[in-house]
């Protein structure tokens, strides 16, 4: 009879759904089925059981072929690479536990690295805006129970966060939203007619890159002032209708994604979206929450905030933390040829960075720590597979609303395989010995 592990947390996206159930075989070693997860989350659990999964590190040879090496050899290469580099880049940190991020931070400090996480190419502008003006926020539990006006701006949760609407924002029957989706009005702002937009009560199909103008117009409409005939391609009448809809609710929430953080205006778009939220609080309760992607990108910002005072784009090369997004961010450093080694963990810059940055990674001494074969592992000199956090090892992760959640271990990793935390601890120990500070 299959054993069912309950209350499992999904380590895929920032929603961190914590109601998964995983069926194991009689031995408790093999995952048979994953219940309650979206298709992407279920695939992550099942992929850990893939027969062609790598279980040992491998080093790229001069002819481009790969040679298996031991974990001790991988630790030695990584430690020597980081010590020999004048300014190494240590990037990623968004798909691992907070304890691994903490050890990685100590390692980065020891070797004087530039440390950056995936926020640099997604919600970095959100973090800058929050530092500039603060943020009125809430938990996803409050949203499920109270929010009756829900805005999705520049995001498509139907695809990117598949259970967000069913768990927290649109369909759940909360304490004050007992009729589920019938209790709520849904507004989607997106230049495209996405699958999320097709479900909306109101879809504002604005002109590309004109988010700032539309947010300004909504502020004016909330105050009852006169508007031009159209703003960002949206008629004034529709803008007033949206403003009245948000003002008339008991609790409004704005969820926003990369469609607005990386359109023209960047962090200033978020500044004014926060201002809209504050304006709404003159009439009702309102909050704003970013739709974070990787399951613990929020946690990496938290850990670095505690340890260094800044959430991303850290430069530790002078022995103290400096923070200057646009100068100390990964792509700027790579394009300007300012780093001489690249260490990647918990992300895939090979799939998401501009081709110029990926070419630099391919030219430099490089290590990729990842359970999967990825575009980044393909261009790195050393690929170190590790145990899946949230599947084969537990650890703390932060949900998109900044709530910490402890992920669960479901099965054992393949024999002899290290976790992120164990590998980083070995590298840190070796670095200290090489530098004579152990």
């Amino acid at each position: 009879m299959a054993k069912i592990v309950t209350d499992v947390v999904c380590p895929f996206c920032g929603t961190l759904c914590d109601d998964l159930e995983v069926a194991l075989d009689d031995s408790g070693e093999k995952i048979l089925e994953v219940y309650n997860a979206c298709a992407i989350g279920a695939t992550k659990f099942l992929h850990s059981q893939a027969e062609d999964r790598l279980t040992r590190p491998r080093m790229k040879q001069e002819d481009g072929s790969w040679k298996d090496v031991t974990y001790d050899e991988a630790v030695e290469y990584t430690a020597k690479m980081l010590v020999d580099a004048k300014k190494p880049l240590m990037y990623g940190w968004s798909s691992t536990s907070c304890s691994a991020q903490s050890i990685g931070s100590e390692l980065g400090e020891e070797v004087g690295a530039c440390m950056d996480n995936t926020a640099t190419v997604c919600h970095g502008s959100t973090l800058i805006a929050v530092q500039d003006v603060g943020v009125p926020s809430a938990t996803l539990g409050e949203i499920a129970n109270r929010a009756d006006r829900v805005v999705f701006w520049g995001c498509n949760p139907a695809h990117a966060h598949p259970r967000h609407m069913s768990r927290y924002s649109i369909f759940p029957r909360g304490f004050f939203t007992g009729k589920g989706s019938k209790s709520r009005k849904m507004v989607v702002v997106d230049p495209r007619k996405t699958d999320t937009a097709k479900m909306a009560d109101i879809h504002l199909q604005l002109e590309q890159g004109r988010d700032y103008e539309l947010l300004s117009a909504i502020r004016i409409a909330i105050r009852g002032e006169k508007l031009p005939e159209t703003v960002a391609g949206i008629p004034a009448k529709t803008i007033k209708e949206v403003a009245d809809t948000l003002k008339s609710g008991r609790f409004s929430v704005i969820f926003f994604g990369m469609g607005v953080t990386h359109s023209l205006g960047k962090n200033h778009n978020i500044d004014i979206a926060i201002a809209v939220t504050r304006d709404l609080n003159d009439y009702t309760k309102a909050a704003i929450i970013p739709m974070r992607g990787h399951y613990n990108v929020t946690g990496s910002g938290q850990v670095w905030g505690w340890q260094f005072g800044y959430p991303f784009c850290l430069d530790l090369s002078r022995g103290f933390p400096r923070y200057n997004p646009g100068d100390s961010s990964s792509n700027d450093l790579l394009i300007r040829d300012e780093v001489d080694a690249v260490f990647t963990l918990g992300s895939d810059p090979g799939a998401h960075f501009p081709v110029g940055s990926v070419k630099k990674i391919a030219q430099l001494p490089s290590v990729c720590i990842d359970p999967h074969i990825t575009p980044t592992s393909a261009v790195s000199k050393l690929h170190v597979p590790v145990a899946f956090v949230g599947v084969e090892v537990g650890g703390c992760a932060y949900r998109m609303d900044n709530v910490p959640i402890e992920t669960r271990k479901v099965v054992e990793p393949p024999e002899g395989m290290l976790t992120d935390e164990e590998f980083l601890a070995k590298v840190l120990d070796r670095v200290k010995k090489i530098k004579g500070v152990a």
Side-chain angles (χ1 to χ4, degrees):
M1 184 177 175
K3 175 188 173 186
I4 305 293
V5 183
T6 59
D7 303 319
V8 176
V9 179
C10 177
F12 164 57
C13 75
T15 311
L16 280 179
C17 298
D18 55 2
D19 63 339
L20 274 58
E21 295 184 354
V22 180
L24 306 179
D25 68 359
D26 292 339
S27 66
E29 296 177 353
K30 185 173 177 57
I31 295 174
L32 301 175
E33 191 58 82
V34 182
Y35 303 109
N36 301 335
C38 67
I40 308 172
T43 301
K44 182 158 188 178
F45 279 86
L46 295 171
H47 183 69
S48 69
Q49 311 279 300
E51 292 183 0
D52 60 349
R53 175 181 172 185
L54 294 178
T55 57
R56 291 292 179 273
R58 55 185 191 148
M59 184 81 75
K60 187 175 282 184
Q61 305 300 294
E62 288 187 5
D63 63 359
S65 62
W66 293 93
K67 176 189 173 185
D68 284 352
V69 296
T70 65
Y71 274 107
D72 286 342
E73 290 172 313
V75 168
E76 185 67 25
Y77 176 89
T78 307
K80 197 164 183 315
M81 180 193 82
L82 292 173
V83 170
D84 289 346
K86 291 181 179 175
K87 195 171 184 178
L89 170 63
M90 299 181 72
Y91 176 77
W93 310 103
S94 300
S95 292
T96 190
S97 65
C98 290
S99 50
Q101 291 163 354
S102 180
I103 296 174
S105 303
E106 189 178 350
L107 178 59
E109 195 168 18
E110 194 63 50
V111 299
C114 289
M115 309 274 294
D116 204 0
N117 59 35
T118 56
T120 197
V121 289
C122 59
H123 276 282
S125 50
T126 302
L127 300 173
I128 294 169
V130 170
Q131 288 167 335
D132 286 345
V133 299
V135 62
S137 191
T139 67
L140 292 181
E142 287 182 273
I143 302 306
N145 282 297
R146 296 177 181 277
D148 58 352
R149 300 290 186 270
V150 181
V151 180
F152 290 111
W153 197 304
C155 56
N156 185 13
H159 289 190
H161 300 81
R163 297 189 69 216
H164 189 280
M165 288 190 286
S166 60
R167 290 252 318 145
Y168 298 112
S169 50
I170 300 298
F171 299 109
R173 298 184 177 188
F175 194 84
F176 298 105
T177 52
K179 294 182 180 178
S181 61
K182 292 181 181 174
S183 307
R184 298 181 168 97
K185 291 285 185 185
M186 177 178 171
V187 178
V188 172
V189 186
D190 201 309
R192 303 167 304 163
K193 195 164 187 176
T194 62
D195 286 336
T196 303
K198 291 172 187 172
M199 301 164 60
D201 295 292
I202 303 172
H203 175 205
L204 299 182
Q205 199 163 5
L206 80 169
E207 293 170 357
Q208 182 80 38
R210 300 191 64 188
D211 302 86
Y212 192 93
E213 289 95 324
L214 185 56
L215 284 159
S216 298
I218 291 175
R219 290 194 76 187
I220 292 168
I222 288 172
R223 295 174 183 178
E225 304 290 339
K226 189 176 177 184
L227 283 168
E229 214 168 285
T230 61
V231 177
I234 308 297
K237 182 182 172 185
T238 307
I239 295 171
K240 288 175 183 172
E241 182 190 352
V242 169
D244 290 341
T245 299
L246 297 179
K247 285 166 65 177
S248 65
R250 288 176 302 180
F251 191 128
S252 296
V253 60
I254 301 173
F255 291 105
F256 64 98
M258 289 176 62
V260 62
T261 62
H262 279 263
S263 69
L264 293 175
K266 295 197 173 182
N267 57 298
H268 297 299
N269 290 337
I270 314 308
D271 287 346
I272 197 164
I274 291 170
V276 168
T277 310
R278 287 192 169 133
D279 288 350
L280 286 171
N281 272 292
D282 289 341
Y283 302 90
T284 181
K285 172 72 177 170
I288 181 167
I289 299 175
M291 300 286 277
R292 306 304 298 271
H294 292 71
Y295 73 86
N296 199 24
V297 60
T298 308
S300 64
Q302 290 278 354
V303 169
W304 290 354
W306 307 329
Q307 297 189 334
F308 302 116
Y310 308 111
F312 73 120
C313 292
L314 280 163
D315 184 347
L316 303 170
S317 62
R318 296 189 186 181
F320 57 90
R322 293 189 301 149
Y323 170 70
N324 192 11
D327 177 60
S328 55
S329 34
S330 302
N331 279 302
D332 297 278
L333 292 166
L334 287 164
I335 295 297
R336 294 199 307 265
D337 212 9
E338 286 189 17
V339 291
D340 51 357
V342 178
F343 173 101
T344 307
L345 186 150
S347 67
D348 188 8
H352 301 104
F353 276 13
V355 68
S357 298
V358 180
K359 283 181 178 176
K360 291 287 183 187
I361 295 173
Q363 293 164 3
L364 294 171
S366 50
V367 176
C368 172
I369 318 296
D370 200 304
H372 307 91
I373 297 173
T374 66
T376 305
S377 72
V379 299
S380 297
K381 304 294 185 295
L382 173 67
H383 177 202
V384 183
V386 284
F388 282 76
V389 177
V391 181
E392 297 165 339
V393 60
C396 181
Y398 275 71
R399 206 168 59 186
M400 64 170 68
D401 56 351
N402 286 301
V403 172
I405 294 177
E406 192 71 18
T407 65
R408 296 193 65 178
K409 175 180 179 176
V410 179
V411 292
E412 292 289 339
E415 189 177 352
M417 178 167 270
L418 298 182
T419 65
D420 289 328
E421 195 174 340
E422 290 169 338
F423 184 77
L424 288 164
K426 284 177 178 286
V427 174
L428 177 60
D429 183 59
R430 185 61 189 136
V431 164
K432 286 182 175 178
K433 284 179 179 168
I434 293 173
K435 296 182 73 176
V437 295

